[in-house]
Amino acid sequence: MNTWDTDVLVIGGGSTGAGVAWDSALRGLHVTLVDRQDFATGTSGRFHGLLHSGGRYAVRDPGSARECASENRILRQVAADCIEDTGGLFVSTPEDDLEYADRFLAAAQAAGMEIEEVPVGVAVRDEPRLNPKIRRAFRVQDGSIDSWKMISALLRGAQDHGATVLPYHKVVQVIRRGDRVEGAVMEDQRSGEEVLVHAGCVVNAAGAWSGQVAGLAGCEVGVRPGKGVMVAINHRLARAVLNRCHLPSDGDIIVPVRTVSVIGTTDHPVADPDDTECSPAEVHQMIEAGELLVPGFKESRALRVWSGSRPLLPKTETSAGAGDREVSRSHTVLDHGARDGVEGLVTIAGGKFTTLRLMAEDTVDVVVRKLGREAECRTRTEVLPGSESHHFYWIGNRQQEAETDPPDDPLICECELVSQHDLDTVVARRPNWRLDDIRRALRVGMGPCQGGFCAFRVAGMLHQGGRYGRAEANSALREFVQERWKGVKVISWGAQARQTRLDRWIFEGVYDLEHLPE
Amino acid sequence: MTAVVWGAEAWAEVRSSLDRCIKCTVCETACPVAAVTELFPGPKTVGPQAERFRTGDHSPDLSVDYCSGCGICSRVCPQEVRIAELNSRARAELKRERGAPLRDQLVARPGLLGRAGRPVAPLFNWAMANPVIRWAGERTLGIHHKAPVPRSTTRTFSYWVGHHAGAKSARRVVYFHGCSTQWYEPHIGQKVTAILEHNGYQVVIPKQDCCGLPLQSNGLFPAARGAVTRLARQLVPGGTDDLPVISSSTSCGLMLKREAREILGADSPELRSVSQRTYDIFEFLLELHHRGELRTDFKPVPLTVAYHAPCQQQNQLIGKPALGILRLIPGLRLVELDRSCCGIAGTYGVKREKYEIAMRVGEPLFADIQAEGPDLVACDSETCRWQISAATGATSVHPLEILHRAYGGS
């Protein structure tokens, strides 16, 4: 069995784990990070992409609002390439209480948010699709953030500082000697091989799955997965993030992220964080709710629907055990030594994407103390790889580049403008790519055709390049297409139904996908 | 059927049509420009595809400027994506950000050139035929030295109107003649008037300015909006709100019928009213014929005429009504040229950087004309006629000139 020693073993390759890896590596610790799947496949890769200004928490959760406002500013400095500076609007629709707007403004100012009330006419002029019947409008520093890009930058940064990161490595055993956790055994989900990592400290950053991981060490973490459903709309309906100015509820935010608008979200407790089922009722609820912000919303083309599980912590959990440090209501670092008498294990639970850096800082503060390797956190100022120029991501970038792509570098994904060169560059980065990993890295298959025109090209090119055998290419294609269709099943009406029909003709009629040789 | 919306709502409707694209690529195979140059990546690419990457504050792509605006993509799209309209908007955004060259400002204002040329028409025409001057024009302005330009005339159409004692009738129509008839081809307007009067109509010809189409196709939207709303006011003489408005210029007719609303997002009460009463001259005559009201006292016209339906006429979605009328004329041998575009697309093909592209686009059409060797080429659009004549040497006429001859005109 392949075995090595590391200072910190991070379990979970979502935003939290990637943040912890980056923070630890910058403080000079050796880090190994593992995930049971590809990185950013859990909650982080399944959110709406909002970089919070704090507005959504201003009234109900001022602590979180303050955190968001300040982390938002930091991330803009250190991760510009992952962020689009869309700005945001909170608007009082005809159904929203105007008195709330006053409370909102006061709370936002108290939380240190940059906020400005704008005349309704100005808001509607800037956002032509916005409901003209809105009564008040506030401009805030919302943005959108690309979770895949962000997590990939954090991991790349960590690797540049010596970290080892392993996707598709599932923890099968936590090594515990007496009251001490000393490492874990991981199984490669692709090859079946096992690796053993001895660690000075294990950080459970499994988010909604952290209860399961803690269980392997004989500890309990009462995380409550809260499922949220989101729908992506085919194009941007607004330049800025549009929020209803009321107590946050279902379907009251539309985020322009990359080429789409995402409407979110719901919140239902689920027993299993892997429960990603989206019911037609939830989707319709979302789409109907969009009408209040953008009249005609329901006539827009819904591209895809998905859900993610928030890692919510009940109040009891945050105050359990002496020595636990309640950082805020939003996230909590659980030191299992103080809490359960199990040393060498720290769980970071709760929290949200926008505060990932702070979560990591708070976690690693505990870790370095335990390891006796105290060092200052550097993530407030250290710029992530790719963001050195401090230019925010701009949606037009890729289109601008595509203009100058040489003719021998054809587009393979026309919806998201991915060229053959892009594909070659990404697949050279590591062995064993699944088509779905390439999708997250390049957005192949995420546009209007949902893989109809690009999936077979990518599979074919990977086969041609010798990365896939024939049977492997065929099954990869089949698996990918099935997964894509899962996300369009409940929204198959209108334009997307036509697209699905055409895609089926291509895959079943032209390629006879079901009967390709294994 | 949903209600027709105007102004900003009309644009929202056009923009959302990108949602209907299923990437079937029919438009790319039909686009005559993408077929001949790599400078234009194709209607799907710069249309519904690129639109998802545009946020309205900064244009990411320049290649959309190579769209000729022929509109074939929108016509062939089985999903009714308004591709050409999206492209037009994107080009206007580009011009708004970067400014339009003097050349575009100039060719977008036919009235300006017409006014300048008229008092010195012989000199103007000599200059336009002079290779040295044309070379200089290419170097300084960017107007290709071989590009077709119209011949100026000393007597405008409105001069003729002022001296024309029109027939009175209870059946009246408004004639929207357009700039070309006014400044370059007044005989077209005279023949339209004669044909309509022959059929018992009183032709009301109000003073009128440009419809703004060349401004629009050059991406100068604010000026174009101003022009078309002013024209709409001019086309309701005496507050008339029920007379048919007859157009003999296909692209200008299309402007009133659809493009003012769908591309410019223009809106005014007069425009709404005029838009739904605008007819192409042959559309109007064919309707008369279907009602049994068209006079068919035709003399034989023993000619071979090759007919080309221009894009902007095809985009009116009225079929090819000129064929329906010309077929009634005895002795006429009518050949339908089944080609898509002559390449000129208004002012596109006169530009230095686009001239060669336009000529390649028109190549199949020119080859058919040369193979056929007709006595005349008939085409409803003025710029297409100029392009066809310049490229093939054939004499090209408006089909109504043949009808006029069949009615005994000269």
Side-chain angles (χ1 to χ4, degrees):
Chain A
M1 197 189 310
N2 204 350
T3 305
W4 67 87
D5 291 345
T6 194
D7 294 326
V8 191
L9 172 65
V10 183
I11 300 170
S15 59
T16 316
V20 169
W22 166 239
D23 188 308
S24 311
L26 282 179
R27 297 201 214 196
L29 302 177
H30 182 262
V31 184
T32 301
L33 179 142
V34 297
D35 195 286
R36 61 175 190 152
Q37 291 176 4
D38 191 17
F39 306 120
T41 47
T43 309
S44 305
R46 296 175 156 271
F47 88 128
H48 41 41
L50 174 67
L51 177 69
H52 281 276
S53 59
R56 290 181 72 76
Y57 302 108
V59 170
R60 197 160 52 182
D61 186 354
S64 287
R66 194 169 298 112
E67 276 176 11
C68 284
S70 107
E71 286 301 308
N72 180 314
R73 267 179 224 120
I74 297 173
L75 292 186
R76 283 167 184 265
Q77 288 300 316
V78 299
D81 186 44
C82 310
I83 291 170
E84 186 168 353
D85 185 22
T86 60
L89 282 171
F90 276 77
V91 298
S92 303
T93 73
E95 294 197 6
D96 299 326
D97 182 8
L98 279 180
E99 185 264 337
Y100 179 88
D102 292 325
R103 280 166 62 204
F104 169 76
L105 179 60
Q109 283 163 341
M113 286 171 50
E114 282 173 53
I115 182 165
E116 176 199 9
E117 177 151 19
V118 290
V120 165
V122 171
V124 173
R125 188 201 62 203
D126 290 351
E127 299 292 356
R129 294 289 307 266
L130 183 62
N131 188 349
K133 296 200 182 92
I134 59 164
R135 295 174 298 170
R136 291 184 80 173
F138 302 93
R139 198 168 274 294
V140 297
Q141 297 292 308
D142 283 339
S144 65
I145 185 159
D146 184 324
S147 55
W148 294 296
K149 224 172 160 185
M150 180 74 187
I151 288 168
S152 149
L154 289 164
L155 293 176
R156 205 140 38 94
Q159 283 174 291
D160 290 347
H161 288 79
T164 302
V165 304
L166 299 172
Y168 292 106
H169 277 67
K170 185 180 181 180
V171 177
V172 290
Q173 189 194 347
V174 170
I175 310 291
R176 186 171 155 179
R177 185 173 302 172
D179 58 2
R180 212 184 151 74
V181 168
E182 296 193 330
V185 178
M186 272 68 64
E187 185 190 65
D188 186 332
Q189 299 299 290
R190 297 159 303 188
S191 66
E193 284 169 25
E194 293 192 336
V195 297
L196 168 61
V197 177
H198 296 288
C201 185
V202 174
V203 174
N204 173 11
W209 291 263
S210 55
Q212 296 174 17
V213 170
L216 290 173
C219 300
E220 257 184 61
V221 171
V223 67
R224 180 178 70 82
K227 187 175 77 173
V229 170
M230 282 144 278
V231 183
I233 301 297
N234 184 43
H235 69 272
R236 291 191 174 200
L237 301 168
R239 294 180 200 178
V241 177
L242 303 181
N243 301 271
R244 273 177 70 184
C245 189
H246 71 164
L247 276 179
S249 71
D250 296 348
D252 61 355
I253 177 164
I254 300 174
V255 185
V257 56
R258 291 290 192 134
T259 46
V260 299
S261 305
V262 176
I263 184 160
T265 168
T266 53
D267 188 5
H268 295 301
V270 284
D272 179 2
D274 285 314
D275 172 4
T276 53
E277 197 63 36
C278 306
S279 73
E282 288 170 307
V283 173
H284 282 282
Q285 179 198 357
M286 223 35 44
I287 297 215
E288 286 292 335
E291 281 290 310
L292 259 184
L293 284 167
V294 174
F297 184 87
K298 59 184 172 198
E299 272 94 58
S300 304
R301 174 174 176 177
L303 267 194
R304 189 170 180 81
V305 53
W306 70 93
S307 71
S309 282
R310 298 177 193 81
L312 300 175
L313 273 188
K315 286 255 180 72
T316 50
E317 194 63 67
T318 57
S319 52
D324 277 345
R325 190 158 72 97
E326 183 177 336
V327 177
S328 80
R329 285 163 62 189
S330 58
H331 65 268
T332 301
V333 181
L334 303 173
D335 174 356
H336 292 280
R339 180 178 181 267
D340 307 312
V342 179
E343 273 304 330
L345 178 67
V346 171
T347 294
I348 166 71
K352 62 187 76 65
F353 201 103
T354 300
T355 57
L356 73 92
R357 193 212 61 83
L358 181 63
M359 292 162 69
E361 178 179 347
D362 290 338
T363 308
V364 183
D365 280 350
V366 174
V367 171
V368 289
R369 222 167 35 236
K370 287 187 156 301
L371 292 174
R373 303 265 301 268
E374 298 207 28
E376 282 292 305
C377 174
R378 286 167 51 196
T379 55
R380 273 173 194 277
T381 50
E382 196 71 28
V383 174
L384 281 166
S387 293
E388 295 83 357
S389 70
H390 294 283
H391 288 149
F392 289 122
Y393 169 82
W394 169 53
I395 186 187
N397 283 348
R398 188 61 201 108
Q399 179 72 29
Q400 204 164 40
E401 287 163 23
E403 289 267 293
T404 51
D405 278 348
D408 60 349
D409 185 21
L411 285 182
I412 45 176
C413 168
E414 295 164 13
C415 304
E416 296 292 330
L417 304 178
V418 180
S419 74
Q420 184 165 2
H421 175 75
D422 298 330
L423 178 68
D424 293 343
T425 311
V426 158
V427 295
R429 282 217 301 253
R430 71 174 207 224
N432 298 333
W433 285 91
R434 293 189 176 183
L435 288 187
D436 212 43
D437 305 343
I438 294 173
R439 171 180 72 84
R440 279 182 291 274
L442 285 172
R443 297 184 70 85
V444 163
M446 296 183 70
C449 84
Q450 289 289 302
F453 287 82
C454 55
F456 60 82
R457 291 179 188 153
V458 176
M461 283 171 174
L462 292 180
H463 172 58
Q464 212 164 29
R467 287 187 175 266
Y468 282 170
R470 192 182 65 175
E472 213 182 344
N474 289 343
S475 65
L477 183 59
R478 205 159 22 231
E479 180 191 84
F480 184 77
V481 167
Q482 282 308 328
E483 181 59 32
R484 291 282 90 192
W485 284 349
K486 218 169 82 182
V488 296
K489 195 175 60 186
V490 291
I491 47 156
S492 254
W493 67 79
Q496 202 56 22
R498 283 188 212 111
Q499 183 73 63
T500 307
R501 175 61 62 187
L502 178 61
D503 291 357
R504 287 193 103 92
W505 286 337
I506 292 172
F507 285 113
E508 289 172 0
V510 179
Y511 288 98
D512 197 13
L513 189 69
E514 296 305 317
H515 304 101
L516 287 178
E518 289 292 344
Chain B
M1 201 49 201
T2 47
V4 174
V5 291
W6 287 79
E9 270 184 274
W11 167 238
E13 195 177 80
V14 166
R15 182 162 195 265
S16 337
S17 81
L18 78 92
D19 280 354
R20 294 198 289 263
C21 176
I22 56 169
K23 312 198 92 72
C24 67
T25 312
V26 167
C27 59
E28 303 255 312
T29 61
C31 173
V33 178
V36 301
T37 177
E38 284 191 346
L39 293 170
F40 185 59
K44 176 188 70 176
T45 310
V46 303
Q49 210 160 280
E51 186 63 26
R52 296 176 71 238
F53 293 83
R54 298 188 185 119
T55 47
D57 37 20
H58 180 44
S59 297
D61 52 337
L62 305 177
S63 57
V64 67
D65 192 42
Y66 277 92
C67 165
S68 77
C70 69
I72 289 171
C73 46
S74 289
R75 207 165 70 231
V76 299
C77 176
Q79 305 297 333
E80 295 182 53
V81 180
R82 315 309 306 274
I83 310 164
E85 291 80 356
L86 287 169
N87 294 351
S88 254
R89 273 279 176 152
R91 185 169 44 237
E93 278 301 309
L94 206 60
K95 295 286 170 76
R96 189 179 59 78
E97 285 165 32
R98 292 164 193 252
L102 175 65
R103 187 260 325 269
D104 293 11
Q105 301 272 6
L106 214 58
V107 297
R109 292 176 171 83
L112 200 71
L113 273 179
R115 274 189 192 86
R118 190 193 56 80
V120 288
L123 181 67
F124 178 85
N125 293 335
W126 169 83
M128 287 300 112
N130 182 300
V132 178
I133 291 176
R134 291 299 303 271
W135 270 111
E138 177 167 333
R139 296 296 293 272
T140 55
L141 282 173
I143 294 173
H144 196 277
H145 71 280
K146 284 202 250 169
V149 284
R151 290 178 63 78
S152 198
T153 168
T154 42
R155 294 262 162 96
T156 63
F157 180 59
S158 47
Y159 176 85
W160 178 84
V161 172
H163 293 78
H164 173 67
K168 291 272 178 249
S169 167
R171 296 197 299 164
R172 297 194 301 160
V173 292
V174 173
Y175 177 34
F176 163 42
H177 52 71
C179 298
S180 160
T181 294
Q182 168 71 356
W183 302 105
Y184 308 117
E185 301 182 327
H187 61 279
I188 301 277
Q190 293 161 21
K191 289 172 182 173
V192 167
T193 311
I195 289 168
L196 288 166
E197 288 180 348
H198 184 67
N199 279 285
Y201 281 89
Q202 178 181 337
V203 184
V204 181
I205 310 173
K207 180 193 171 301
Q208 53 194 265
D209 298 304
C210 182
C211 67
L213 174 76
L215 289 163
Q216 183 238 87
S217 64
N218 281 283
L220 305 165
F221 276 23
R225 274 187 209 109
V228 75
T229 40
R230 183 177 62 230
L231 173 72
R233 278 197 306 277
Q234 293 168 329
L235 291 182
V236 288
T240 52
D241 63 359
D242 55 351
L243 302 182
V245 176
I246 311 292
S247 161
S248 56
S249 170
T250 53
S251 51
C252 309
L254 183 66
M255 180 66 164
L256 286 181
K257 281 183 169 185
R258 284 175 50 195
E259 295 191 344
R261 179 178 85 83
E262 296 174 357
I263 295 181
L264 294 178
D267 189 13
S268 76
E270 295 88 358
L271 188 55
R272 289 183 184 210
S273 163
V274 165
S275 176
Q276 56 182 345
R277 292 186 276 121
T278 299
Y279 295 82
D280 173 78
I281 174 76
F282 276 104
E283 177 189 20
F284 184 75
L285 294 174
L286 193 60
E287 272 191 28
L288 284 190
H289 180 58
H290 287 158
R291 293 204 300 265
E293 294 173 12
L294 184 79
R295 287 183 63 175
T296 51
D297 49 344
F298 299 125
K299 294 185 178 56
V301 179
L303 294 174
T304 294
V305 171
Y307 174 75
H308 169 62
C311 303
Q312 307 303 347
Q313 184 267 340
Q314 290 285 279
N315 293 345
Q316 295 188 20
L317 308 179
I318 53 173
K320 298 180 179 179
L323 287 177
I325 300 290
L326 294 187
R327 276 198 197 103
L328 305 172
I329 298 172
L332 188 73
R333 186 174 161 263
L334 194 58
V335 180
E336 182 184 354
L337 296 163
D338 197 15
R339 294 291 180 184
S340 64
C341 181
C342 72
I344 192 77
T347 58
Y348 181 85
V350 307
K351 298 171 181 175
R352 178 174 48 199
E353 73 281 11
K354 287 160 187 147
Y355 172 82
E356 293 294 342
I357 296 172
M359 291 302 284
R360 286 204 292 278
V361 166
E363 192 48 51
L365 175 67
F366 307 150
D368 280 7
I369 291 171
Q370 272 150 348
E372 188 62 47
D375 299 309
L376 292 172
V377 177
C379 175
D380 317 60
S381 159
E382 50 273 33
T383 54
C384 307
R385 290 195 293 275
W386 304 336
Q387 166 87 338
I388 289 167
S389 289
T392 64
T395 305
S396 57
V397 297
H398 195 300
L400 64 83
E401 296 183 67
I402 293 159
L403 178 62
H404 182 255
R405 192 187 289 201
Y407 277 140
S410 52

PDB file of all heavy atoms in Angstrom, chain A residues 381-392:
ATOM      1  N   THR A 381      -4.071  38.303   2.091  1.00  0.00           N
ATOM      2  CA  THR A 381      -3.351  39.135   1.117  1.00  0.00           C
ATOM      3  C   THR A 381      -2.701  38.336  -0.011  1.00  0.00           C
ATOM      4  O   THR A 381      -2.352  38.904  -1.036  1.00  0.00           O
ATOM      5  CB  THR A 381      -2.235  39.936   1.826  1.00  0.00           C
ATOM      6  OG1 THR A 381      -1.488  39.014   2.619  1.00  0.00           O
ATOM      7  CG2 THR A 381      -2.816  41.022   2.709  1.00  0.00           C
ATOM      8  N   GLU A 382      -2.537  37.022   0.206  1.00  0.00           N
ATOM      9  CA  GLU A 382      -1.857  36.223  -0.818  1.00  0.00           C
ATOM     10  C   GLU A 382      -2.794  36.031  -2.014  1.00  0.00           C
ATOM     11  O   GLU A 382      -3.912  35.536  -1.868  1.00  0.00           O
ATOM     12  CB  GLU A 382      -1.462  34.867  -0.230  1.00  0.00           C
ATOM     13  CG  GLU A 382      -0.431  34.104  -1.022  1.00  0.00           C
ATOM     14  CD  GLU A 382       0.966  34.725  -0.947  1.00  0.00           C
ATOM     15  OE1 GLU A 382       1.295  35.383   0.076  1.00  0.00           O
ATOM     16  OE2 GLU A 382       1.695  34.549  -1.917  1.00  0.00           O
ATOM     17  N   VAL A 383      -2.323  36.429  -3.181  1.00  0.00           N
ATOM     18  CA  VAL A 383      -3.178  36.361  -4.372  1.00  0.00           C
ATOM     19  C   VAL A 383      -3.142  34.954  -4.965  1.00  0.00           C
ATOM     20  O   VAL A 383      -2.080  34.343  -5.073  1.00  0.00           O
ATOM     21  CB  VAL A 383      -2.717  37.407  -5.410  1.00  0.00           C
ATOM     22  CG1 VAL A 383      -3.483  37.251  -6.709  1.00  0.00           C
ATOM     23  CG2 VAL A 383      -2.896  38.808  -4.847  1.00  0.00           C
ATOM     24  N   LEU A 384      -4.300  34.460  -5.340  1.00  0.00           N
ATOM     25  CA  LEU A 384      -4.395  33.097  -5.880  1.00  0.00           C
ATOM     26  C   LEU A 384      -3.834  33.017  -7.298  1.00  0.00           C
ATOM     27  O   LEU A 384      -3.878  34.008  -8.046  1.00  0.00           O
ATOM     28  CB  LEU A 384      -5.857  32.653  -5.897  1.00  0.00           C
ATOM     29  CG  LEU A 384      -6.416  32.191  -4.556  1.00  0.00           C
ATOM     30  CD1 LEU A 384      -7.923  32.106  -4.615  1.00  0.00           C
ATOM     31  CD2 LEU A 384      -5.810  30.836  -4.180  1.00  0.00           C
ATOM     32  N   PRO A 385      -3.309  31.850  -7.658  1.00  0.00           N
ATOM     33  CA  PRO A 385      -2.807  31.688  -9.022  1.00  0.00           C
ATOM     34  C   PRO A 385      -3.893  32.026 -10.041  1.00  0.00           C
ATOM     35  O   PRO A 385      -5.040  31.603  -9.877  1.00  0.00           O
ATOM     36  CB  PRO A 385      -2.448  30.201  -9.108  1.00  0.00           C
ATOM     37  CG  PRO A 385      -2.375  29.704  -7.708  1.00  0.00           C
ATOM     38  CD  PRO A 385      -3.189  30.619  -6.861  1.00  0.00           C
ATOM     39  N   GLY A 386      -3.536  32.788 -11.025  1.00  0.00           N
ATOM     40  CA  GLY A 386      -4.493  33.168 -12.074  1.00  0.00           C
ATOM     41  C   GLY A 386      -5.078  34.557 -11.845  1.00  0.00           C
ATOM     42  O   GLY A 386      -5.629  35.166 -12.756  1.00  0.00           O
ATOM     43  N   SER A 387      -4.981  35.052 -10.596  1.00  0.00           N
ATOM     44  CA  SER A 387      -5.587  36.351 -10.286  1.00  0.00           C
ATOM     45  C   SER A 387      -4.549  37.452 -10.131  1.00  0.00           C
ATOM     46  O   SER A 387      -4.865  38.543  -9.630  1.00  0.00           O
ATOM     47  CB  SER A 387      -6.423  36.254  -9.002  1.00  0.00           C
ATOM     48  OG  SER A 387      -7.536  35.417  -9.217  1.00  0.00           O
ATOM     49  N   GLU A 388      -3.329  37.181 -10.571  1.00  0.00           N
ATOM     50  CA  GLU A 388      -2.222  38.124 -10.342  1.00  0.00           C
ATOM     51  C   GLU A 388      -2.495  39.493 -10.946  1.00  0.00           C
ATOM     52  O   GLU A 388      -2.055  40.521 -10.424  1.00  0.00           O
ATOM     53  CB  GLU A 388      -0.908  37.566 -10.912  1.00  0.00           C
ATOM     54  CG  GLU A 388      -0.401  36.297 -10.223  1.00  0.00           C
ATOM     55  CD  GLU A 388      -1.052  35.028 -10.751  1.00  0.00           C
ATOM     56  OE1 GLU A 388      -1.948  35.124 -11.626  1.00  0.00           O
ATOM     57  OE2 GLU A 388      -0.671  33.937 -10.302  1.00  0.00           O
ATOM     58  N   SER A 389      -3.222  39.524 -12.053  1.00  0.00           N
ATOM     59  CA  SER A 389      -3.442  40.818 -12.717  1.00  0.00           C
ATOM     60  C   SER A 389      -4.537  41.635 -12.029  1.00  0.00           C
ATOM     61  O   SER A 389      -4.743  42.804 -12.352  1.00  0.00           O
ATOM     62  CB  SER A 389      -3.851  40.586 -14.170  1.00  0.00           C
ATOM     63  OG  SER A 389      -5.150  40.044 -14.200  1.00  0.00           O
ATOM     64  N   HIS A 390      -5.264  41.002 -11.093  1.00  0.00           N
ATOM     65  CA  HIS A 390      -6.365  41.662 -10.374  1.00  0.00           C
ATOM     66  C   HIS A 390      -7.493  42.095 -11.299  1.00  0.00           C
ATOM     67  O   HIS A 390      -8.291  42.959 -10.947  1.00  0.00           O
ATOM     68  CB  HIS A 390      -5.875  42.866  -9.558  1.00  0.00           C
ATOM     69  CG  HIS A 390      -4.976  42.460  -8.432  1.00  0.00           C
ATOM     70  ND1 HIS A 390      -5.439  41.917  -7.266  1.00  0.00           N
ATOM     71  CD2 HIS A 390      -3.631  42.476  -8.319  1.00  0.00           C
ATOM     72  CE1 HIS A 390      -4.435  41.634  -6.477  1.00  0.00           C
ATOM     73  NE2 HIS A 390      -3.313  41.961  -7.082  1.00  0.00           N
ATOM     74  N   HIS A 391      -7.555  41.514 -12.480  1.00  0.00           N
ATOM     75  CA  HIS A 391      -8.683  41.811 -13.362  1.00  0.00           C
ATOM     76  C   HIS A 391      -9.817  40.848 -13.063  1.00  0.00           C
ATOM     77  O   HIS A 391      -9.600  39.644 -13.061  1.00  0.00           O
ATOM     78  CB  HIS A 391      -8.283  41.664 -14.839  1.00  0.00           C
ATOM     79  CG  HIS A 391      -7.385  42.754 -15.306  1.00  0.00           C
ATOM     80  ND1 HIS A 391      -6.438  42.563 -16.283  1.00  0.00           N
ATOM     81  CD2 HIS A 391      -7.291  44.047 -14.923  1.00  0.00           C
ATOM     82  CE1 HIS A 391      -5.782  43.702 -16.474  1.00  0.00           C
ATOM     83  NE2 HIS A 391      -6.285  44.613 -15.667  1.00  0.00           N
ATOM     84  N   PHE A 392     -10.999  41.391 -12.847  1.00  0.00           N
ATOM     85  CA  PHE A 392     -12.141  40.515 -12.642  1.00  0.00           C
ATOM     86  C   PHE A 392     -12.403  39.737 -13.919  1.00  0.00           C
ATOM     87  O   PHE A 392     -12.129  40.211 -15.020  1.00  0.00           O
ATOM     88  CB  PHE A 392     -13.400  41.313 -12.284  1.00  0.00           C
ATOM     89  CG  PHE A 392     -13.345  41.910 -10.909  1.00  0.00           C
ATOM     90  CD1 PHE A 392     -13.469  43.271 -10.726  1.00  0.00           C
ATOM     91  CD2 PHE A 392     -13.149  41.096  -9.803  1.00  0.00           C
ATOM     92  CE1 PHE A 392     -13.416  43.831  -9.461  1.00  0.00           C
ATOM     93  CE2 PHE A 392     -13.094  41.640  -8.530  1.00  0.00           C
ATOM     94  CZ  PHE A 392     -13.215  43.011  -8.357  1.00  0.00           C
TER      95      PHE A 392
END
